[in-house]
Amino acid sequence: VDTCSIAAEAYPAKMPPPLRQLLRQALGQLAAMAGAQGQQVDPGALDAALDALDDAESIRWGIDVDAKDGSVAIENAQVAVRGSTPAAMLGGDVGTPLTMATGPAGDADRRAIEGHWCSKAAASLVSSETLASVLPSGSGDASPEALFGVLRDVVQSMAETGGLEVALTADTAEATADAPLPALTVALRVKDGKALEKLVKTRLGAADALPPGVQARFDTGRAGAATLHAIDVDGVPGLPGGRVEATLAIAPTSVFILTGADVPRRIEAAITASGRPQQGAEALGRLTAHLAPLFAYAGRLAGAFAPDDPNVERMESASTVAAGEPSATVALLARPIERGVRYRHRADGGAVTA
């Protein structure tokens, strides 16, 4: 036997009303039980999910085990009723490419974590009313007001491009006990970087806009078409020196948030690689963890801060095993399908072995 698969499928929209009501009650009871055990479920989100059952033509769950390559995959696919609002929205994302990059292609083998999200449908849901409900104003506290205001401005500018695009990578290759944070790069596509930059400066430059220990320094340099701004956070527990330094880079049609070294080169490379479809990166999104560098990173830090921890040896052993495999990754993939979306969580053979 080369492969083994098992699947189950439900058709909520075809269920008679009494059966749907029983399903609602069962899910409500499960949510209540989870809440009693400290795992709170948002009632609004639960109600929305239950209401969505009326528009769900089919929901499929499955698991695949491939004996040839040793991989294991868990899949969930949801298809909306033809003519419903979800069906129209989800169908619009088929074939939507990611155009944002976080660096040159040659850096790909250094990435411990990489991911992206791009969706036209999500952008259509963004409105001033939606943002105000999710990121409310009027609290009277200057710091949350400034932070929520910046987030509203950024998301609004992203939506005005016609689609929400986010890409991120985390590089752990240079992380040490003295500088344990990974080199993080987050890239966002925006409509008008110059206008957004003015809003950010106004909000974060206001008196008491930032909490104690956080400082914003504007116009600290340039990298290609981007203007650089620094965000310094002091008093971070558990970090050598207690300080985190981040860079906010704003270009005409993109925003980058970075930590780590060699920031100008990384920004210039990301800007150069952006603006065109990224190979293998389409809607809706993907998050991939590369286990060899992740285990090596965890082992280095554990060895430095807790050398007697028995997990240090396990991490080092797992890193060695993963590094010896052609690939050792765990990935979560979301793809639009006709009138729906498919989620797939896959661990390849190297990851299962490690």
Side-chain angles (χ1 to χ4, degrees), residues 64-337:
D64 296 322
V65 178
D66 193 320
K68 290 194 294 184
D69 63 17
S71 65
V72 177
I74 301 172
E75 184 173 300
N76 168 237
Q78 304 172 28
V79 177
V81 173
R82 191 177 301 277
S84 66
T85 299
M89 290 179 55
L90 293 169
D93 273 329
V94 175
T96 299
L98 176 76
T99 64
M100 292 302 301
T102 56
D107 285 352
D109 58 350
R110 297 169 55 91
R111 299 171 183 171
I113 298 174
E114 56 185 330
H116 76 272
W117 177 269
C118 56
S119 171
K120 293 179 180 178
S124 68
L125 298 176
V126 175
S127 66
S128 56
E129 293 78 12
T130 303
L131 292 175
S133 65
V134 177
L135 301 166
S137 60
S139 67
D141 191 327
S143 293
E145 287 286 323
L147 177 59
F148 283 6
V150 168
L151 292 175
R152 287 195 301 269
D153 296 337
V154 170
V155 174
Q156 185 65 55
S157 185
M158 294 173 65
E160 288 172 357
T161 66
L164 298 185
E165 286 193 35
V166 182
L168 68 89
T169 57
D171 179 350
T172 59
E174 304 299 329
T176 64
D178 295 328
L181 291 181
L184 177 69
T185 305
V186 180
L188 314 171
R189 186 164 71 104
V190 298
K191 179 67 174 179
D192 186 343
K194 189 174 183 63
L196 180 61
E197 188 172 40
K198 291 181 180 179
L199 292 172
V200 170
K201 286 184 176 181
T202 299
R203 292 191 187 277
L204 298 187
D208 300 324
L210 297 172
V214 181
Q215 178 186 11
R217 294 181 287 116
F218 301 118
D219 302 309
T220 58
R222 290 191 64 82
T227 303
L228 309 186
H229 312 284
I231 307 293
D232 304 324
V233 183
D234 291 307
V236 180
L239 282 181
R243 184 181 180 90
V244 174
E245 298 178 349
T247 298
L248 175 65
I250 303 180
T253 59
S254 53
V255 171
F256 300 90
I257 303 167
L258 305 95
T259 61
D262 204 13
V263 167
R265 181 196 70 84
R266 289 161 56 197
I267 293 172
E268 291 179 7
I271 292 175
T272 299
S274 297
R276 56 181 178 272
Q278 303 297 306
Q279 184 176 2
E282 297 179 352
L284 291 163
R286 183 186 184 99
L287 182 64
T288 303
H290 300 270
L291 299 191
L294 274 179
F295 285 147
Y297 172 64
R300 286 199 306 275
L301 296 192
F305 295 111
D308 297 328
D309 189 331
N311 289 320
V312 173
E313 185 176 347
R314 295 173 188 168
M315 289 293 180
E316 292 174 346
S317 175
S319 175
T320 301
V321 173
E325 296 289 331
S327 173
T329 63
V330 177
L332 176 62
L333 180 70
R335 285 283 186 265
I337 55 179

Side-chain angles (χ1 to χ4, degrees), residues 27-50:
L27 292 176
Q29 291 172 357
L30 288 174
M33 292 171 58
Q37 297 175 3
Q39 300 176 355
Q40 296 297 326
V41 177
D42 182 357
L46 179 61
D47 288 341
L50 292 173

